[in-house]
Amino acid sequence: MIEVKGLKKSFGDLDILKGIDTTIEKNEKVVIIGPSGSGKSTFLRCLNMLEQPTDGSVIFDGKDLTKASEKELYKVREKMGMVFQHFYLFPHLTIQKNLTLAPTKLKIMSKDEADEKAHQLLQKIGLEQKAHDYPSQLSGGQKQRIAIARSLMMNPEVMLFDEPTSALDPEMVGEVLRLMKQLAEEGMTMVVVTHEMGFAREVGSRVLFMEDGLIMEENEPQEFFSNPESPRLKEFLSKVL
Amino acid sequence: MLLQNEASRSFDNEFLQKLYDTFIYDDRYMYLVNGLKTTLIITLFAVLLGMVIGFLVATVRATHDKTGKLKILNVIANIYLTVIRGTPVMVQLLIIYYVIFASVRIDKTFVGILAFGINSGAYVAEIVRSGIMSIDAGQFEAGASLGLNYPRTMMYIIMPQAFKNILPALANECIVLLKETSVAGYIALEDLTKGGDIIRSVTYEAFLPLIAVALIYLIIVVGLSSLVRKLERRLKKSDRG
């Protein structure tokens, strides 16, 4: 579904990604772990071209996104949902409007269709009573669940999660991870950058270890966590587990 | 005692006589009424023109800063801002009337609106730009990740938030503009200040008409300022809510 070839990204003299090659298949749940500054988030943001790669290609549904026109990119992003560490809900809009803004303004749904879908999604995540509240009235965990629902409104083919629980109070991490697990079970293709090793082990179908702008090691979670090969991964796991 | 009364009575009479001469005789107060009307008309339409110019210029500048596009428009916008903010409004007014429209018979009120509107636009532009820049970059990314292109993100997500943040500053700009229009008399526009000055020149009495003019400005400005404060309080409340 997404094919990444020789992906490089530099900011000035700073090389963040030094050549990433990987393929993300449909229904896969790829979890990316690694120390801060290893390029995990940059890699994720290159997948939907929020960062323009310096070199290499990202092929999504047969189209090279690094060569796509701006117009095509926006079309592609409708199909790639993204969830951010800091939620980025729209503070001036109610929860309902946060969900319906993009599909109605892009004329993908009528207002009624969008309202109906928003209602269903809010019910699914257990926040239908918040439909007419504003984001500032919600807890962090609720905000992140709303942000996930907002992405789901577009019926994405793949969801990108950029440290979705890192900004949350510990007691709110669980509710967000549960929702993500539910999505995984429903067959959503997911790419998740996280520090939640439990989630990686339980939900991931493949775990990538990134360090210094490269994928150092990848494996299915059982093997990844019990038999790490590279010394750097061993060291990393000994620190976080 | 009697003498004092006599003196004060004659003072009263003299004062009343002056009041009568200044405002009532020959319907001279109409200079102030018509002047005020002109001042308000110029201010109102100049504010509207300034807002339109300001929002356009700010959008060009912010788009250039964020995306690197609109290079030529950005250069034009910068020249406009430098020239307008680097020269006195009175000089601009004189140039527009005596140079640009030198050979055309044109309504002076229109010239006033044009001059003060173009002038105000430069200040509004910087206020709006600061408002746009104050919005978290994540809001742009959230919009983009949902497939909303830059103009849509700007219109539905950024501008409404920016506008709310800068509303008090914009209202203050209106107040400043109201006072600045007092130089309109230099192109023989009969605004409020000029109205007072005309009375002075026919009665040879400076104190009363000029103080009256000052009081009228003061009352309007104080009134508008208290409205701005009320607005600020309400905006703060909705931030907390």
Side-chain angles (χ1 to χ4, degrees):
Chain A
M1 176 180 253
I2 306 177
E3 206 182 334
V4 182
K5 286 188 205 156
L7 186 69
K8 288 182 188 163
K9 174 71 186 176
S10 316
F11 292 100
D13 290 338
L14 198 62
D15 299 328
I16 302 293
L17 299 178
K18 297 176 179 169
I20 305 274
D21 295 277
T22 190
T23 302
I24 295 151
E25 302 293 347
K26 197 165 167 53
N27 293 335
E28 241 194 327
K29 293 91 182 72
V30 177
V31 180
I32 304 169
I33 64 169
S36 310
S38 58
K40 307 177 299 267
S41 287
T42 307
F43 170 59
L44 199 69
R45 291 159 58 83
C46 281
L47 291 182
N48 67 352
M49 299 290 126
L50 277 188
E51 301 288 358
Q52 192 69 38
T54 319
D55 196 13
S57 54
V58 176
I59 296 158
F60 176 71
D61 287 346
K63 187 177 286 165
D64 186 351
L65 302 187
T66 57
K67 295 185 177 67
S69 72
E70 194 131 315
K71 207 171 162 191
E72 287 172 314
L73 269 187
Y74 283 108
K75 214 69 198 145
V76 164
R77 290 194 185 119
E78 293 175 17
K79 297 286 135 215
M80 292 177 131
M82 186 159 201
V83 175
F84 301 88
Q85 181 176 355
H86 295 288
F87 334 124
Y88 298 140
L89 295 182
F90 307 134
H92 61 300
L93 300 174
T94 61
I95 299 308
Q96 177 89 11
K97 286 268 165 61
N98 262 274
L99 266 61
T100 58
L101 178 75
T104 52
K105 295 303 177 198
L106 293 169
K107 304 206 163 44
I108 294 170
M109 296 174 198
S110 71
K111 192 182 171 300
D112 288 345
E113 285 168 337
D115 281 341
E116 175 58 27
K117 182 154 177 76
H119 180 70
Q120 283 170 9
L121 278 172
L122 288 175
Q123 219 158 24
K124 175 175 171 173
I125 64 173
L127 290 173
E128 71 266 37
Q129 76 281 9
K130 301 283 186 193
H132 301 293
D133 287 3
Y134 283 87
S136 60
Q137 295 163 280
L138 268 54
S139 73
Q142 290 172 333
K143 281 183 197 167
Q144 195 59 298
R145 282 148 68 202
I146 296 293
I148 293 172
R150 184 176 66 180
S151 291
L152 290 174
M153 284 295 291
M154 307 297 291
N155 295 317
E157 291 170 21
V158 52
M159 289 274 285
L160 312 175
F161 292 85
D162 188 6
E163 304 203 23
T165 57
S166 296
L168 297 177
D169 290 338
E171 75 268 25
M172 292 170 183
V173 171
E175 59 186 270
V176 172
L177 291 182
R178 267 196 301 281
L179 176 58
M180 289 167 63
K181 196 177 160 197
Q182 191 186 341
L183 277 181
E185 282 161 359
E186 289 167 7
M188 177 64 74
T189 310
M190 294 163 69
V191 184
V192 185
V193 170
T194 188
H195 294 293
E196 296 292 330
M197 297 303 148
F199 179 85
R201 197 195 300 252
E202 199 183 339
V203 180
S205 54
R206 179 158 54 111
V207 186
L208 306 183
F209 174 64
M210 277 185 71
E211 161 132 83
D212 203 18
L214 293 167
I215 298 176
M216 299 294 277
E217 190 164 340
E218 59 180 304
N219 218 327
E220 53 89 20
Q222 195 58 36
E223 200 59 14
F224 184 91
F225 286 105
S226 42
N227 289 315
E229 282 167 24
S230 70
R232 271 303 290 134
L233 176 56
K234 280 179 196 162
E235 191 192 332
F236 180 74
L237 289 178
S238 73
K239 280 183 194 155
V240 296
L241 288 179
Chain B
M1 188 71 181
L2 199 75
L3 258 173
Q4 222 172 25
N5 258 342
E6 198 74 359
S8 82
R9 188 169 302 148
S10 83
F11 174 78
D12 280 355
N13 282 337
E14 200 183 327
F15 183 72
L16 285 173
Q17 186 61 46
K18 274 186 181 172
L19 266 183
Y20 178 83
D21 286 346
T22 304
F23 299 118
I24 312 294
Y25 180 75
D26 225 4
D27 282 348
R28 283 175 184 150
Y29 70 95
M30 284 309 288
Y31 285 114
L32 295 184
V33 172
N34 289 329
L36 179 61
K37 236 188 263 170
T38 305
T39 291
L40 291 179
I41 287 171
I42 292 176
T43 305
L44 177 70
F45 287 101
V47 161
L48 291 177
L49 180 61
M51 294 277 170
V52 172
I53 296 175
F55 270 86
L56 287 177
V57 171
T59 307
V60 167
R61 297 253 293 144
T63 304
H64 177 265
D65 289 358
K66 296 253 178 203
T67 67
K69 290 182 196 162
L70 305 180
K71 278 209 180 70
I72 296 168
L73 280 178
N74 187 56
V75 170
I76 297 172
N78 273 329
I79 293 172
Y80 162 73
L81 291 175
T82 308
V83 170
I84 296 297
R85 295 193 303 165
T87 53
V89 62
M90 207 178 97
V91 176
Q92 293 162 19
L93 179 72
L94 293 174
I95 288 175
I96 288 180
Y97 185 63
Y98 289 112
V99 180
I100 296 177
F101 291 119
S103 52
V104 200
R105 264 187 62 89
I106 195 162
D107 181 37
K108 281 180 196 155
T109 309
F110 174 76
V111 173
I113 290 168
L114 204 61
F116 292 110
I118 290 172
N119 178 267
S120 178
Y123 295 92
V124 171
E126 288 305 89
I127 293 171
V128 174
R129 195 172 77 99
S130 76
I132 294 172
M133 289 318 208
S134 73
I135 304 296
D136 193 323
Q139 294 285 319
F140 285 93
E141 295 187 345
S145 77
L146 288 166
L148 295 169
N149 60 15
Y150 186 84
R152 285 197 175 104
T153 300
M154 208 60 175
M155 182 146 65
Y156 301 118
I157 297 169
I158 306 303
M159 276 303 184
Q161 296 182 57
F163 187 66
K164 189 180 149 186
N165 291 347
I166 61 172
L167 213 47
L170 285 180
N172 277 324
E173 170 59 24
C174 298
I175 292 172
V176 170
L177 189 63
L178 173 81
K179 288 183 288 178
E180 278 188 343
T181 59
S182 64
V183 300
Y186 277 86
I187 59 167
L189 239 174
E190 292 184 12
D191 73 324
L192 177 58
T193 306
K194 186 73 179 177
D197 202 42
I198 291 172
I199 299 176
R200 182 193 59 77
S201 66
V202 292
T203 59
Y204 301 107
E205 159 63 44
F207 180 80
L208 280 174
L210 295 184
I211 290 297
V213 165
L215 270 177
I216 294 171
Y217 279 115
L218 189 64
I219 289 166
I220 299 174
V221 168
V222 168
L224 287 176
S225 300
S226 80
L227 279 179
V228 173
R229 272 198 302 280
K230 234 180 237 164
L231 187 73
E232 276 178 322
R233 270 202 300 276
R234 278 190 50 184
L235 289 176
K236 264 202 200 113
K237 220 186 262 168
S238 77
D239 275 345
R240 277 200 303 271

